[in-house]
């Protein structure tokens, strides 16, 4: 006779749920992901999921947030352009095993629900790429590679905003050529134009 499955709680249960979310995303994509399927794969029930997350967008955002590193080392290639390109490559690596429709699906669903949209915006802000870009720019200024530019959150968000637009609006995979275009033709010239 098989032993009864022990009930998981707390972090163990949450980890099993997040793993189930990611497996479902890879197998069926965001559009076909259901709370029922996640619950079944995680060996739990829908009410358990709904006690923690109001719906699939919130659940997927939580699973995604759990996969993001708490911190990372800044690249140091010796040039601002090289550092920025490596930073963008690293940012993209976090999405390598994402379902292709994840960002587009999340964007569509979150725009319909202001509370979920606020969660997504908070999550993007918490990821802190602006702080990393600012540190790379400050280092380039210290090296004498760049005159100090006027920086704002809007300026610092330009590279990742362009990547998000490519992924969500145009459905394009980001290539090395596009990374070069974003850094060499758009972002670095913008920074030079904003010199104090």
């Amino acid at each position: 006779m098989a032993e009864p499955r022990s009930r998981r709680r707390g972090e163990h249960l949450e980890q099993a749920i997040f793993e189930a979310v990611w497996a479902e995303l890879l197998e069926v994509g965001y559009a076909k992901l259901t709370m029922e399927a996640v619950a079944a794969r995680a060996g739990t029930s829908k009410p358990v999921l709904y006690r923690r997350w109001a719906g699939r967008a919130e659940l997927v955002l939580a699973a995604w947030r759990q996969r993001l590193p708490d911190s990372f080392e800044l690249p140091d290639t010796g040039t601002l352009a090289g550092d920025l390109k490596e930073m963008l490559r690293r940012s993209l690596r976090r999405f390598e095993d994402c379902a292709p429709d994840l960002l587009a699906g999340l964007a569509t669903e979150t725009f319909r629900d202001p509370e979920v949209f606020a969660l997504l915006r908070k999550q993007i802000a918490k990821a802190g790429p602006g702080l990393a870009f600012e540190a790379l720019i400050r280092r380039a200024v210290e090296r004498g590679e760049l005159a100090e530019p006027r920086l704002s959150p809007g300026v610092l968000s330009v590279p990742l905003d362009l990547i998000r637009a490519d992924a969500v609006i145009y459905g394009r995979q980001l290539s090395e050529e596009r990374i070069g275009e974003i850094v060499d033709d758009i972002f670095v010239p913008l920074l030079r134009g904003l010199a104090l």
Side-chain angles (χ1 to χ4, degrees):
M1 186 157 94
E3 287 186 31
R5 197 168 172 177
S6 63
R7 278 184 66 165
R8 291 167 296 174
R9 297 181 188 275
E11 287 182 30
H12 294 292
L13 175 60
E14 196 167 89
Q15 187 60 40
I17 292 168
F18 291 155
E19 288 171 10
V21 168
W22 222 253
E24 284 293 309
L25 283 169
L26 294 174
E27 192 171 301
V28 302
Y30 183 80
K32 294 181 181 176
L33 182 136
T34 65
M35 298 293 267
E36 293 88 352
V38 170
R41 192 181 284 259
T44 191
S45 66
K46 277 185 6 181
V48 168
L49 298 182
Y50 282 111
R51 276 197 293 272
R52 290 169 170 79
W53 303 281
R56 87 176 164 169
E58 293 94 329
L59 175 57
V60 169
L61 283 171
W64 185 15
R65 182 173 51 249
Q66 186 263 345
R67 294 176 67 83
L68 297 176
D70 291 332
S71 62
F72 52 88
E73 192 175 318
L74 292 175
D76 190 359
T77 66
T79 68
L80 176 60
D83 291 347
L84 292 169
K85 289 173 189 175
E86 181 57 26
M87 186 76 179
L88 291 178
R89 286 186 202 104
R90 288 180 186 181
S91 296
L92 292 172
R93 278 187 215 118
R94 293 188 288 187
F95 300 100
E96 282 178 344
D97 63 346
C98 285
D101 69 338
L102 174 62
L103 291 178
L106 272 174
T108 302
E109 195 159 333
T110 55
F111 287 136
R112 285 184 278 204
D113 185 334
E115 288 181 23
V116 179
F117 186 58
L119 275 174
L120 177 62
R121 287 177 55 201
K122 185 176 177 182
Q123 188 161 317
I124 289 169
K126 190 176 178 184
L131 297 175
F133 287 139
E134 185 173 7
L136 295 177
I137 293 163
R138 298 269 176 239
R139 193 167 61 201
V141 169
E142 289 167 10
R143 282 194 304 250
E145 184 181 353
L146 180 74
E148 186 166 344
R150 290 183 310 278
L151 296 177
S152 69
V155 169
L156 293 169
S157 72
V158 166
L160 291 181
D161 287 346
L162 291 170
I163 288 173
R164 286 185 204 106
D166 279 1
V168 175
I169 297 171
Y170 302 110
R172 292 190 291 231
Q173 295 280 4
L174 207 66
S175 64
E176 273 298 313
E177 182 180 357
R178 179 64 172 149
I179 289 174
E181 184 179 74
I182 288 170
V183 171
D184 297 328
D185 299 341
I186 299 170
F187 194 53
V188 172
L190 171 64
L191 294 173
R192 293 191 192 289
L194 292 171
L196 296 172

